[in-house]
Amino acid sequence: MMTRQPGASTGHVVLLGDSIFDNQAYVDGAPDVAQQLRQELPGDWSCTLLAVDGDRISDVDRQLRFLPPDTTHLVVSVGGNDALGFAPLLEEDAGTVTDALLILGKAQDRFAADYAAMIDAAVAKGLPTAVSTIYDTPPSAPGQRIIRTALTIFNDSITRAAFDRGVSVIDLRLICNEDQDYANPIEPSAHGGQKIARAIAALVLANGTAQRSIVVAAEPADQTVWRTAP
């Protein structure tokens, strides 16, 4: 166990992925995640948004080509749009639960292969890297239980890929846990974005220049508690 350490050196955080970070279109003029992260980081830190609303796992490779020369940390939140692409599978007929699991298992294999290639490309940059899980829908949303259950197969691929490579994980399922965290069923509101920004800031300030697996599983409070993955 460890707590956030003050006095971290200057840094430049780059946000990659999709509309979880590129959420300006959904906050009605309020600050987006990138703006909120700049407010949470010390004054000598900076943040660049390369995430693009609508992008998928395969698009991160393109985003990585535009890293600023002074980048010190990479944070990736992607996969939700890929998971949405498999949504029609929920409507398929399956004779047994086993048959249903086999259908979902094939989707998981495709997702896992794409995600592994993406995370390898990010890690190859030689910078401390963190990824986020795919969050659920708002707690009160119709079908939330089904969606939450289906997403576990994709989130398992994310955490396995991250821990296998010593990459940190921000668990948005636990951070964005209120209806007000969502602007709609799949986009973060300004309220949720602030929680995400605080989690990112706490992570990069705690981790320094080390590449290791740290799990952020709650919005940081004044005394942020972390768990380092074995």
Side-chain angles (χ1 to χ4, degrees):
M1 301 289 259
M2 54 186 273
T3 55
R4 181 172 55 186
Q5 300 298 319
S9 59
T10 186
H12 187 162
V13 183
V14 174
L15 302 179
L16 306 157
D18 55 30
S19 60
I20 300 303
F21 293 155
D22 184 23
N23 69 325
Q24 186 176 43
Y26 308 101
V27 294
D28 295 325
D32 60 14
V33 170
Q35 293 172 294
Q36 291 169 320
L37 179 56
R38 294 183 188 107
Q39 295 169 1
E40 295 293 333
L41 291 169
D44 53 351
W45 282 62
S46 57
C47 165
T48 293
L49 175 68
L50 294 181
V52 177
D53 184 4
D55 271 7
R56 297 189 174 215
I57 294 170
S58 60
D59 295 309
V60 173
D61 185 64
R62 181 197 73 249
Q63 297 174 14
L64 285 167
R65 299 173 197 166
F66 298 97
L67 294 181
D70 62 342
T71 301
T72 60
H73 296 78
L74 304 179
V75 185
V76 187
S77 184
V78 74
N81 292 319
D82 300 80
L84 278 174
F86 293 114
L89 295 179
L90 298 176
E91 305 299 325
E92 289 194 14
D93 292 329
T96 67
V97 173
T98 297
D99 292 336
L101 290 174
L102 288 173
I103 293 171
L104 293 174
K106 291 180 181 179
Q108 183 186 44
D109 289 344
R110 289 170 55 191
F111 182 97
D114 291 343
Y115 202 90
M118 180 279 295
I119 205 170
D120 283 339
V123 170
K125 297 299 181 180
L127 300 168
T129 301
V131 298
S132 75
T133 58
I134 304 169
Y135 58 27
D136 306 318
T137 56
S140 66
Q144 197 266 359
R145 189 174 186 181
I146 295 171
I147 294 170
R148 182 186 65 197
T149 302
L151 285 176
T152 59
I153 67 169
F154 302 116
N155 281 317
D156 179 71
S157 298
I158 291 173
T159 54
R160 285 176 183 268
F163 296 148
D164 186 51
R165 295 160 176 80
V167 168
S168 293
V169 174
I170 299 171
D171 199 333
L172 296 185
R173 296 170 295 182
L174 300 178
I175 293 170
C176 294
N177 57 1
E178 306 171 276
D179 283 351
Q180 62 183 324
D181 294 331
Y182 297 82
N184 59 49
I186 60 173
E187 316 291 353
S189 65
H191 185 271
Q194 184 176 55
K195 294 167 75 171
I196 294 170
R198 286 174 177 170
I200 294 171
L203 171 64
V204 298
L205 293 175
N207 227 4
T209 58
Q211 176 64 23
R212 54 186 173 180
S213 287
I214 291 179
V215 179
V216 185
E219 181 187 6
D222 290 340
Q223 186 71 5
T224 304
V225 179
W226 308 85
R227 181 173 62 195
T228 303

